Amino acid sequence: MPSDSRFAGSIPELYDTVLVPMMFLDYAEDVAAEVAASTPHDVLETAAGTGAVTRALHRLLPSAMITATDLSPAMLARAADVLPASDHVRWTPADAQELPFDDAGFDAVMCQFGAMFFPDRRGAYAEARRVMRPGGRLVLATWGRIEVNEATLAVEDALTTLSLDDPPPFLRRVPFGYTDAAVIRAELDDAGFIDVDIRSIEHRSRPTSARDIAIAHCQGTPLANALAERHLDAVQITSEVTRLLEERWGEEPFTGRLSANLVSATRVTD
Ligand SMILES: C[S@@+](CC[C@H](N)C(=O)[O-])C[C@H]1O[C@@H](n2cnc3c(N)ncnc32)[C@H](O)[C@@H]1O
């Protein structure tokens, strides 16, 4: 598995406890509401991570059957601790590019902030199409440009200021590297989706200390893998990024602009 998409070791806990509350919960509500609007019965979630969207959809549609999948068993284990498997929720490790499900078994597929981690995104969309019933809905969230996501941009600026020999380009290249609506639309068209709708949605990140913003990014994402590969100490880098963020914002908890694309599309009828 490429280290850019590996959520393992200490990443899942820090991702779940620091990054998700800071940046992901409002978008989880948006994705869940978009999916719930078509009142699906069988829903597949890919790259479900620690279950933020799964929980939001389960609250909105308690009688739906949600199959929540992710490449990382450790992420799903944290999700299942909060929302245990039941008659309405099941947690299954699966690669979104090679889904272990029969054709046409789901009314909807949803994926929040996962597509940017798939090396073969077209393959993942083709798989989503294969497992959906004709007329089913695909709902995705992808981040907007890093320049309009203030907390992440500040971490990226801090890493640049540190003048590392080989600064990891992870944040800009991976989670914030799949932002172009024309590209997203073309990939979904190719995979057999119609009525592609892409809306830019803004929220504010929840007030978070500079230290937690640094921990969330440097230790709660695969940026931690990139630092380790460069023999850089993530704890030390976190302290230096914290210092630079505090110089920039002071010591009050920071809240900043977030921007993401909410994408929905319909599977063509054969
Ligand atoms: C930024 S997290 C998003 C998790 C969750 N959707 C959320 O909103 O909190 C990205 C997730 O993509 C998963 N992932 C990466 N590559 C994957 C793949 N090929 N198939 C399925 N999941 C993958 C990771 O394990 C991680 O849980």
Side-chain angles (χ1 to χ4, degrees):
M1 184 196 311
S3 75
D4 278 349
S5 21
R6 194 172 65 239
F7 286 69
S10 53
I11 296 174
E13 180 184 349
L14 294 169
Y15 173 85
D16 190 38
T17 56
V18 192
L19 190 64
V20 168
M22 176 172 70
M23 291 173 58
F24 284 60
L25 296 180
D26 290 329
Y27 289 108
E29 298 297 332
D30 296 337
V31 171
E34 186 73 20
V35 172
S38 61
T39 55
H41 184 260
D42 293 299
V43 180
L44 174 68
E45 183 175 7
T46 58
T50 54
V53 181
T54 326
R55 290 190 295 277
L57 185 64
H58 182 59
R59 279 192 296 274
L60 289 179
L61 286 182
S63 60
M65 176 69 217
I66 308 174
T67 300
T69 65
D70 194 279
L71 195 56
S72 164
M75 295 289 269
L76 291 182
R78 290 197 68 85
D81 280 347
V82 181
L83 179 61
S86 67
D87 288 349
H88 293 287
V89 177
R90 66 173 166 154
W91 303 104
T92 308
D95 187 333
Q97 303 158 126
E98 206 172 342
L99 293 169
F101 303 110
D102 292 340
D103 295 358
F106 296 96
D107 305 310
V109 175
M110 61 183 188
C111 179
Q112 167 165 280
F113 303 134
M116 49 282 256
F117 292 95
F118 305 157
D120 177 14
R121 221 164 13 240
R122 286 171 194 264
Y125 294 154
E127 276 293 85
R129 175 184 188 275
R130 180 184 66 77
V131 301
M132 281 165 78
R133 299 184 178 120
R137 300 285 290 161
L138 175 68
V139 178
L140 309 171
T142 64
W143 288 116
R145 293 179 308 112
I146 195 169
E147 285 74 16
V148 284
N149 282 280
E150 288 182 291
T152 305
L153 181 65
V155 172
E156 159 110 344
D157 287 350
L159 289 169
T160 305
T161 304
L162 292 178
S163 299
L164 307 172
D165 282 347
D166 177 17
F170 169 79
L171 292 171
R172 183 178 287 276
R173 187 171 57 78
V174 185
F176 293 85
Y178 183 50
T179 62
D180 186 337
V183 171
I184 297 170
R185 187 180 296 282
E187 290 178 351
L188 290 170
D189 284 348
D190 285 354
F193 288 94
I194 56 171
D195 298 335
V196 178
D197 180 64
I198 303 178
R199 269 175 290 154
S200 176
I201 302 217
E202 302 233 339
H203 287 296
R204 306 281 303 171
S205 56
R206 308 271 168 103
T208 306
S209 68
R211 180 165 172 70
D212 276 353
I213 291 173
I215 289 174
H217 287 84
C218 300
Q219 299 180 48
T221 73
L223 175 56
N225 304 332
L227 294 172
E229 282 162 4
R230 288 161 173 76
H231 307 290
L232 293 166
D233 178 352
V235 173
Q236 169 80 26
I237 298 285
T238 300
S239 299
E240 293 178 24
V241 169
T242 303
R243 176 178 54 78
L244 291 167
L245 295 182
E246 284 176 347
E247 280 175 18
R248 182 170 178 159
W249 297 322
E251 293 187 7
E252 287 297 305
F254 175 77
T255 167
R257 182 178 175 194
L258 295 175
S259 179
N261 293 311
L262 183 66
V263 182
S264 61
T266 303
R267 181 207 189 282
V268 284
T269 306
D270 295 321

